[in-house]
PDB file of all heavy atoms in Angstrom:
ATOM      1  N   ASP T  36      92.657 132.328  22.888  1.00 41.00           N
ATOM      2  CA  ASP T  36      94.025 132.358  22.401  1.00 41.00           C
ATOM      3  C   ASP T  36      94.056 132.816  20.940  1.00 41.00           C
ATOM      4  O   ASP T  36      94.916 133.579  20.554  1.00 41.00           O
ATOM      5  CB  ASP T  36      94.638 130.963  22.527  1.00 41.00           C
ATOM      6  CG  ASP T  36      96.155 131.011  22.658  1.00 41.00           C
ATOM      7  OD1 ASP T  36      96.795 131.612  21.779  1.00 41.00           O
ATOM      8  OD2 ASP T  36      96.674 130.460  23.622  1.00 41.00           O
ATOM      9  N   ASN T  37      93.086 132.354  20.125  1.00 43.00           N
ATOM     10  CA  ASN T  37      93.038 132.777  18.726  1.00 43.00           C
ATOM     11  C   ASN T  37      92.727 134.261  18.601  1.00 43.00           C
ATOM     12  O   ASN T  37      93.064 134.881  17.619  1.00 43.00           O
ATOM     13  CB  ASN T  37      91.987 131.981  17.955  1.00 43.00           C
ATOM     14  CG  ASN T  37      92.528 130.629  17.515  1.00 43.00           C
ATOM     15  OD1 ASN T  37      93.731 130.409  17.556  1.00 43.00           O
ATOM     16  ND2 ASN T  37      91.637 129.746  17.105  1.00 43.00           N
ATOM     17  N   ASN T  38      92.025 134.831  19.569  1.00 42.00           N
ATOM     18  CA  ASN T  38      91.638 136.244  19.512  1.00 42.00           C
ATOM     19  C   ASN T  38      92.492 137.067  20.461  1.00 42.00           C
ATOM     20  O   ASN T  38      91.992 137.741  21.339  1.00 42.00           O
ATOM     21  CB  ASN T  38      90.146 136.403  19.871  1.00 42.00           C
ATOM     22  CG  ASN T  38      89.262 135.727  18.846  1.00 42.00           C
ATOM     23  OD1 ASN T  38      89.598 135.715  17.666  1.00 42.00           O
ATOM     24  ND2 ASN T  38      88.155 135.166  19.292  1.00 42.00           N
ATOM     25  N   SER T  39      93.785 137.020  20.278  1.00 40.00           N
ATOM     26  CA  SER T  39      94.683 137.760  21.159  1.00 40.00           C
ATOM     27  C   SER T  39      94.562 139.261  20.933  1.00 40.00           C
ATOM     28  O   SER T  39      94.974 140.044  21.768  1.00 40.00           O
ATOM     29  CB  SER T  39      96.132 137.291  20.950  1.00 40.00           C
ATOM     30  OG  SER T  39      96.510 137.494  19.611  1.00 40.00           O
ATOM     31  N   GLY T  40      94.022 139.675  19.796  1.00 42.00           N
ATOM     32  CA  GLY T  40      93.752 141.086  19.556  1.00 42.00           C
ATOM     33  C   GLY T  40      94.904 141.852  18.965  1.00 42.00           C
ATOM     34  O   GLY T  40      94.704 142.873  18.346  1.00 42.00           O
ATOM     35  N   ASN T  41      96.136 141.370  19.123  1.00 41.00           N
ATOM     36  CA  ASN T  41      97.254 142.167  18.636  1.00 41.00           C
ATOM     37  C   ASN T  41      97.571 141.897  17.170  1.00 41.00           C
ATOM     38  O   ASN T  41      98.197 142.727  16.526  1.00 41.00           O
ATOM     39  CB  ASN T  41      98.499 141.959  19.519  1.00 41.00           C
ATOM     40  CG  ASN T  41      99.053 140.548  19.442  1.00 41.00           C
ATOM     41  OD1 ASN T  41      98.586 139.736  18.649  1.00 41.00           O
ATOM     42  ND2 ASN T  41     100.037 140.259  20.295  1.00 41.00           N
ATOM     43  N   GLY T  42      97.165 140.746  16.655  1.00 41.00           N
ATOM     44  CA  GLY T  42      97.424 140.448  15.242  1.00 41.00           C
ATOM     45  C   GLY T  42      98.885 140.441  14.904  1.00 41.00           C
ATOM     46  O   GLY T  42      99.256 140.609  13.764  1.00 41.00           O
ATOM     47  N   GLY T  43      99.737 140.228  15.854  1.00 41.00           N
ATOM     48  CA  GLY T  43     101.182 140.332  15.642  1.00 41.00           C
ATOM     49  C   GLY T  43     101.827 139.085  15.114  1.00 41.00           C
ATOM     50  O   GLY T  43     102.889 138.713  15.597  1.00 41.00           O
ATOM     51  N   GLY T  44     101.207 138.405  14.172  1.00 42.00           N
ATOM     52  CA  GLY T  44     101.845 137.256  13.537  1.00 42.00           C
ATOM     53  C   GLY T  44     101.866 136.020  14.405  1.00 42.00           C
ATOM     54  O   GLY T  44     102.693 135.154  14.218  1.00 42.00           O
ATOM     55  N   SER T  45     101.022 135.916  15.365  1.00 42.00           N
ATOM     56  CA  SER T  45     100.953 134.757  16.240  1.00 42.00           C
ATOM     57  C   SER T  45     100.648 133.509  15.405  1.00 42.00           C
ATOM     58  O   SER T  45      99.828 133.547  14.498  1.00 42.00           O
ATOM     59  CB  SER T  45      99.840 134.973  17.279  1.00 42.00           C
ATOM     60  OG  SER T  45      99.558 133.755  17.935  1.00 42.00           O
ATOM     61  N   THR T  46     101.306 132.406  15.718  1.00 49.00           N
ATOM     62  CA  THR T  46     101.131 131.187  14.934  1.00 49.00           C
ATOM     63  C   THR T  46      99.742 130.587  15.122  1.00 49.00           C
ATOM     64  O   THR T  46      99.323 129.755  14.332  1.00 49.00           O
ATOM     65  CB  THR T  46     102.199 130.130  15.305  1.00 49.00           C
ATOM     66  OG1 THR T  46     102.114 129.882  16.699  1.00 49.00           O
ATOM     67  CG2 THR T  46     103.580 130.594  14.909  1.00 49.00           C
ATOM     68  N   SER T  47      98.998 130.995  16.136  1.00 63.00           N
ATOM     69  CA  SER T  47      97.663 130.441  16.352  1.00 63.00           C
ATOM     70  C   SER T  47      96.623 131.121  15.468  1.00 63.00           C
ATOM     71  O   SER T  47      95.492 130.692  15.414  1.00 63.00           O
ATOM     72  CB  SER T  47      97.267 130.573  17.827  1.00 63.00           C
ATOM     73  OG  SER T  47      97.143 131.936  18.152  1.00 63.00           O
ATOM     74  N   GLU T  48      97.017 132.182  14.780  1.00 85.00           N
ATOM     75  CA  GLU T  48      96.076 132.867  13.900  1.00 85.00           C
ATOM     76  C   GLU T  48      95.968 132.142  12.566  1.00 85.00           C
ATOM     77  O   GLU T  48      96.941 131.610  12.065  1.00 85.00           O
ATOM     78  CB  GLU T  48      96.515 134.313  13.658  1.00 85.00           C
ATOM     79  CG  GLU T  48      96.311 135.198  14.866  1.00 85.00           C
ATOM     80  CD  GLU T  48      96.640 136.646  14.571  1.00 85.00           C
ATOM     81  OE1 GLU T  48      96.589 137.038  13.392  1.00 85.00           O
ATOM     82  OE2 GLU T  48      96.948 137.357  15.524  1.00 85.00           O
ATOM     83  N   GLU T  49      94.776 132.188  12.003  1.00 89.00           N
ATOM     84  CA  GLU T  49      94.507 131.562  10.722  1.00 89.00           C
ATOM     85  C   GLU T  49      95.087 132.420   9.597  1.00 89.00           C
ATOM     86  O   GLU T  49      94.942 133.640   9.627  1.00 89.00           O
ATOM     87  CB  GLU T  49      92.981 131.477  10.579  1.00 89.00           C
ATOM     88  CG  GLU T  49      92.480 130.347   9.759  1.00 89.00           C
ATOM     89  CD  GLU T  49      90.971 130.216   9.888  1.00 89.00           C
ATOM     90  OE1 GLU T  49      90.255 131.188   9.624  1.00 89.00           O
ATOM     91  OE2 GLU T  49      90.537 129.123  10.263  1.00 89.00           O
ATOM     92  N   PRO T  50      95.691 131.800   8.585  1.00 92.00           N
ATOM     93  CA  PRO T  50      96.180 132.573   7.441  1.00 92.00           C
ATOM     94  C   PRO T  50      95.024 133.315   6.755  1.00 92.00           C
ATOM     95  O   PRO T  50      93.894 132.824   6.737  1.00 92.00           O
ATOM     96  CB  PRO T  50      96.764 131.507   6.510  1.00 92.00           C
ATOM     97  CG  PRO T  50      97.070 130.337   7.389  1.00 92.00           C
ATOM     98  CD  PRO T  50      96.035 130.379   8.482  1.00 92.00           C
ATOM     99  N   THR T  51      95.335 134.458   6.181  1.00 93.00           N
ATOM    100  CA  THR T  51      94.314 135.301   5.547  1.00 93.00           C
ATOM    101  C   THR T  51      93.525 134.553   4.482  1.00 93.00           C
ATOM    102  O   THR T  51      92.302 134.666   4.420  1.00 93.00           O
ATOM    103  CB  THR T  51      94.989 136.539   4.902  1.00 93.00           C
ATOM    104  OG1 THR T  51      95.781 137.183   5.893  1.00 93.00           O
ATOM    105  CG2 THR T  51      93.963 137.502   4.358  1.00 93.00           C
TER     106      THR T  51
END
Side-chain angles (χ1 to χ4, degrees):
D36 206 305
N37 278 346
N38 295 326
S39 59
N41 66 6
S45 167
T46 57
S47 66
E48 287 185 24
E49 209 170 56
T51 307

